[in-house]
Amino acid sequence: MLYKFFKYSEFLLSSIINGQLYFSKVEDFNDPFEARFRYKIDNLNKKELERTIAEFISPNSDIIQKYIDSPYELEQRLNKINDYQYDNKGVCCFTSLSNLLNVYMWAHYANSSKGVCIAFDESLHFVHKECIEKHSFIADPQKHAVKYISHFPKCNPLDKDHFKPADLLILKQEAWQNEEETRFISPKHGLHYFEKNKIKAIYFGSGLNKDQKKTISSLVEMLPYKNVQLYDIVLKENTFELDYIAYKPVSYTHLRAHETDQYL
């Protein structure tokens, strides 16, 4: 399973109703070091420099010579190219089962336990909203496990053993490793649709009020969700631990279909 925390909001309700999640731009992430790794030209082997310039910038001989004469300018140009490539990318983040009962995760990503955590099937797949609504072609997002590292990485295009730009969105410092993050990376940020049958369970935070639980449980009953399990997160007595118990579903008639229109 893949787990994602949400604060309670219209966006959450819209996500459930429409089967969609937002893929954020990297600049909106909470880690200031996110994707800030830069190219560094440490090896000035002329042949390798020529190959790199021809591959990444231009095969024009004058341009190649220009950057051979100025490795620093080459670094700057490569970094600008790299930044441009990632400006439009979108990322959607998930965690693992081990964090379902993690107080820190509930506090940090679910509005101090006043939100929810949704469990998705591992086979979760996304399609960008524009592919459906505008018939645009945008490659489907790819799933990656985040790698946690202890040292700031070098990105040297001349060294095949160093990290490459494609790695930048799946590298984080070890301080974040307890989040056990999985990322879907899309060529374009924005809303992406998923199949609604990929939602397997919804866990209500200990601070979520009864009316909010009622709204979500009613949506699950009304919409084409099959076998979605609902749970309450509870505080264990005399410990600092969380647990979950089955939510007692009740049929509510106050929420009618037209009342969901505001989230469409």
PDB file of all heavy atoms in Angstrom, residues 21-34:
ATOM      1  N   LEU A  21      -5.374  13.905  -7.750  1.00  0.00           N
ATOM      2  CA  LEU A  21      -4.400  14.428  -6.798  1.00  0.00           C
ATOM      3  C   LEU A  21      -3.556  15.481  -7.500  1.00  0.00           C
ATOM      4  O   LEU A  21      -3.370  15.441  -8.721  1.00  0.00           O
ATOM      5  CB  LEU A  21      -3.489  13.320  -6.262  1.00  0.00           C
ATOM      6  CG  LEU A  21      -4.134  12.303  -5.317  1.00  0.00           C
ATOM      7  CD1 LEU A  21      -3.123  11.225  -4.939  1.00  0.00           C
ATOM      8  CD2 LEU A  21      -4.676  12.976  -4.064  1.00  0.00           C
ATOM      9  N   TYR A  22      -3.023  16.410  -6.713  1.00  0.00           N
ATOM     10  CA  TYR A  22      -2.206  17.485  -7.274  1.00  0.00           C
ATOM     11  C   TYR A  22      -0.727  17.108  -7.213  1.00  0.00           C
ATOM     12  O   TYR A  22      -0.233  16.656  -6.183  1.00  0.00           O
ATOM     13  CB  TYR A  22      -2.436  18.781  -6.502  1.00  0.00           C
ATOM     14  CG  TYR A  22      -1.795  19.980  -7.174  1.00  0.00           C
ATOM     15  CD1 TYR A  22      -2.413  20.599  -8.254  1.00  0.00           C
ATOM     16  CD2 TYR A  22      -0.568  20.472  -6.745  1.00  0.00           C
ATOM     17  CE1 TYR A  22      -1.836  21.681  -8.892  1.00  0.00           C
ATOM     18  CE2 TYR A  22       0.022  21.559  -7.380  1.00  0.00           C
ATOM     19  CZ  TYR A  22      -0.618  22.157  -8.449  1.00  0.00           C
ATOM     20  OH  TYR A  22      -0.035  23.220  -9.081  1.00  0.00           O
ATOM     21  N   PHE A  23      -0.037  17.299  -8.323  1.00  0.00           N
ATOM     22  CA  PHE A  23       1.405  17.097  -8.400  1.00  0.00           C
ATOM     23  C   PHE A  23       2.058  18.469  -8.252  1.00  0.00           C
ATOM     24  O   PHE A  23       1.878  19.344  -9.102  1.00  0.00           O
ATOM     25  CB  PHE A  23       1.792  16.455  -9.731  1.00  0.00           C
ATOM     26  CG  PHE A  23       1.597  14.966  -9.770  1.00  0.00           C
ATOM     27  CD1 PHE A  23       0.357  14.398  -9.494  1.00  0.00           C
ATOM     28  CD2 PHE A  23       2.656  14.119 -10.086  1.00  0.00           C
ATOM     29  CE1 PHE A  23       0.175  13.026  -9.533  1.00  0.00           C
ATOM     30  CE2 PHE A  23       2.485  12.742 -10.132  1.00  0.00           C
ATOM     31  CZ  PHE A  23       1.234  12.194  -9.855  1.00  0.00           C
ATOM     32  N   SER A  24       2.810  18.656  -7.181  1.00  0.00           N
ATOM     33  CA  SER A  24       3.370  19.969  -6.848  1.00  0.00           C
ATOM     34  C   SER A  24       4.660  20.256  -7.596  1.00  0.00           C
ATOM     35  O   SER A  24       5.395  19.340  -7.997  1.00  0.00           O
ATOM     36  CB  SER A  24       3.656  20.040  -5.344  1.00  0.00           C
ATOM     37  OG  SER A  24       2.489  19.813  -4.593  1.00  0.00           O
ATOM     38  N   LYS A  25       4.952  21.545  -7.746  1.00  0.00           N
ATOM     39  CA  LYS A  25       6.259  21.959  -8.263  1.00  0.00           C
ATOM     40  C   LYS A  25       7.291  21.787  -7.150  1.00  0.00           C
ATOM     41  O   LYS A  25       6.976  21.934  -5.958  1.00  0.00           O
ATOM     42  CB  LYS A  25       6.202  23.414  -8.714  1.00  0.00           C
ATOM     43  CG  LYS A  25       5.226  23.676  -9.855  1.00  0.00           C
ATOM     44  CD  LYS A  25       5.256  25.128 -10.305  1.00  0.00           C
ATOM     45  CE  LYS A  25       6.523  25.440 -11.069  1.00  0.00           C
ATOM     46  NZ  LYS A  25       6.490  26.776 -11.712  1.00  0.00           N
ATOM     47  N   VAL A  26       8.513  21.511  -7.527  1.00  0.00           N
ATOM     48  CA  VAL A  26       9.573  21.273  -6.547  1.00  0.00           C
ATOM     49  C   VAL A  26       9.780  22.495  -5.651  1.00  0.00           C
ATOM     50  O   VAL A  26      10.047  22.364  -4.456  1.00  0.00           O
ATOM     51  CB  VAL A  26      10.896  20.910  -7.265  1.00  0.00           C
ATOM     52  CG1 VAL A  26      12.012  20.701  -6.259  1.00  0.00           C
ATOM     53  CG2 VAL A  26      10.710  19.657  -8.100  1.00  0.00           C
ATOM     54  N   GLU A  27       9.629  23.677  -6.204  1.00  0.00           N
ATOM     55  CA  GLU A  27       9.869  24.905  -5.435  1.00  0.00           C
ATOM     56  C   GLU A  27       8.877  25.070  -4.282  1.00  0.00           C
ATOM     57  O   GLU A  27       9.103  25.875  -3.373  1.00  0.00           O
ATOM     58  CB  GLU A  27       9.797  26.119  -6.352  1.00  0.00           C
ATOM     59  CG  GLU A  27       8.444  26.347  -6.971  1.00  0.00           C
ATOM     60  CD  GLU A  27       8.455  27.438  -8.035  1.00  0.00           C
ATOM     61  OE1 GLU A  27       9.416  27.490  -8.826  1.00  0.00           O
ATOM     62  OE2 GLU A  27       7.495  28.231  -8.065  1.00  0.00           O
ATOM     63  N   ASP A  28       7.789  24.299  -4.305  1.00  0.00           N
ATOM     64  CA  ASP A  28       6.787  24.400  -3.245  1.00  0.00           C
ATOM     65  C   ASP A  28       7.014  23.404  -2.111  1.00  0.00           C
ATOM     66  O   ASP A  28       6.243  23.367  -1.153  1.00  0.00           O
ATOM     67  CB  ASP A  28       5.384  24.178  -3.832  1.00  0.00           C
ATOM     68  CG  ASP A  28       5.006  25.253  -4.835  1.00  0.00           C
ATOM     69  OD1 ASP A  28       5.474  26.401  -4.669  1.00  0.00           O
ATOM     70  OD2 ASP A  28       4.262  24.954  -5.791  1.00  0.00           O
ATOM     71  N   PHE A  29       8.056  22.602  -2.193  1.00  0.00           N
ATOM     72  CA  PHE A  29       8.312  21.593  -1.167  1.00  0.00           C
ATOM     73  C   PHE A  29       8.863  22.229   0.110  1.00  0.00           C
ATOM     74  O   PHE A  29       9.381  23.350   0.094  1.00  0.00           O
ATOM     75  CB  PHE A  29       9.298  20.542  -1.688  1.00  0.00           C
ATOM     76  CG  PHE A  29       8.670  19.542  -2.629  1.00  0.00           C
ATOM     77  CD1 PHE A  29       7.397  19.741  -3.133  1.00  0.00           C
ATOM     78  CD2 PHE A  29       9.361  18.398  -2.998  1.00  0.00           C
ATOM     79  CE1 PHE A  29       6.818  18.821  -3.988  1.00  0.00           C
ATOM     80  CE2 PHE A  29       8.790  17.466  -3.843  1.00  0.00           C
ATOM     81  CZ  PHE A  29       7.517  17.677  -4.350  1.00  0.00           C
ATOM     82  N   ASN A  30       8.779  21.469   1.207  1.00  0.00           N
ATOM     83  CA  ASN A  30       9.207  22.020   2.500  1.00  0.00           C
ATOM     84  C   ASN A  30      10.693  21.814   2.795  1.00  0.00           C
ATOM     85  O   ASN A  30      11.198  22.309   3.796  1.00  0.00           O
ATOM     86  CB  ASN A  30       8.370  21.431   3.650  1.00  0.00           C
ATOM     87  CG  ASN A  30       8.423  19.908   3.690  1.00  0.00           C
ATOM     88  OD1 ASN A  30       9.164  19.280   2.949  1.00  0.00           O
ATOM     89  ND2 ASN A  30       7.631  19.310   4.567  1.00  0.00           N
ATOM     90  N   ASP A  31      11.395  21.104   1.946  1.00  0.00           N
ATOM     91  CA  ASP A  31      12.832  20.893   2.123  1.00  0.00           C
ATOM     92  C   ASP A  31      13.587  21.939   1.292  1.00  0.00           C
ATOM     93  O   ASP A  31      13.518  21.930   0.066  1.00  0.00           O
ATOM     94  CB  ASP A  31      13.214  19.484   1.669  1.00  0.00           C
ATOM     95  CG  ASP A  31      14.703  19.199   1.836  1.00  0.00           C
ATOM     96  OD1 ASP A  31      15.443  20.096   2.288  1.00  0.00           O
ATOM     97  OD2 ASP A  31      15.123  18.072   1.509  1.00  0.00           O
ATOM     98  N   PRO A  32      14.323  22.858   1.932  1.00  0.00           N
ATOM     99  CA  PRO A  32      15.016  23.915   1.173  1.00  0.00           C
ATOM    100  C   PRO A  32      16.116  23.399   0.267  1.00  0.00           C
ATOM    101  O   PRO A  32      16.566  24.111  -0.635  1.00  0.00           O
ATOM    102  CB  PRO A  32      15.586  24.823   2.272  1.00  0.00           C
ATOM    103  CG  PRO A  32      15.720  23.928   3.464  1.00  0.00           C
ATOM    104  CD  PRO A  32      14.567  22.968   3.385  1.00  0.00           C
ATOM    105  N   PHE A  33      16.567  22.158   0.494  1.00  0.00           N
ATOM    106  CA  PHE A  33      17.629  21.583  -0.340  1.00  0.00           C
ATOM    107  C   PHE A  33      17.069  20.769  -1.508  1.00  0.00           C
ATOM    108  O   PHE A  33      17.848  20.178  -2.262  1.00  0.00           O
ATOM    109  CB  PHE A  33      18.543  20.693   0.500  1.00  0.00           C
ATOM    110  CG  PHE A  33      19.364  21.457   1.501  1.00  0.00           C
ATOM    111  CD1 PHE A  33      18.998  21.482   2.840  1.00  0.00           C
ATOM    112  CD2 PHE A  33      20.493  22.164   1.121  1.00  0.00           C
ATOM    113  CE1 PHE A  33      19.746  22.196   3.763  1.00  0.00           C
ATOM    114  CE2 PHE A  33      21.240  22.875   2.035  1.00  0.00           C
ATOM    115  CZ  PHE A  33      20.863  22.892   3.359  1.00  0.00           C
ATOM    116  N   GLU A  34      15.764  20.736  -1.639  1.00  0.00           N
ATOM    117  CA  GLU A  34      15.140  19.909  -2.667  1.00  0.00           C
ATOM    118  C   GLU A  34      15.664  20.273  -4.053  1.00  0.00           C
ATOM    119  O   GLU A  34      15.537  21.417  -4.509  1.00  0.00           O
ATOM    120  CB  GLU A  34      13.627  20.102  -2.621  1.00  0.00           C
ATOM    121  CG  GLU A  34      12.843  19.015  -3.317  1.00  0.00           C
ATOM    122  CD  GLU A  34      12.762  17.748  -2.512  1.00  0.00           C
ATOM    123  OE1 GLU A  34      12.243  17.775  -1.387  1.00  0.00           O
ATOM    124  OE2 GLU A  34      13.231  16.705  -3.026  1.00  0.00           O
TER     125      GLU A  34
END
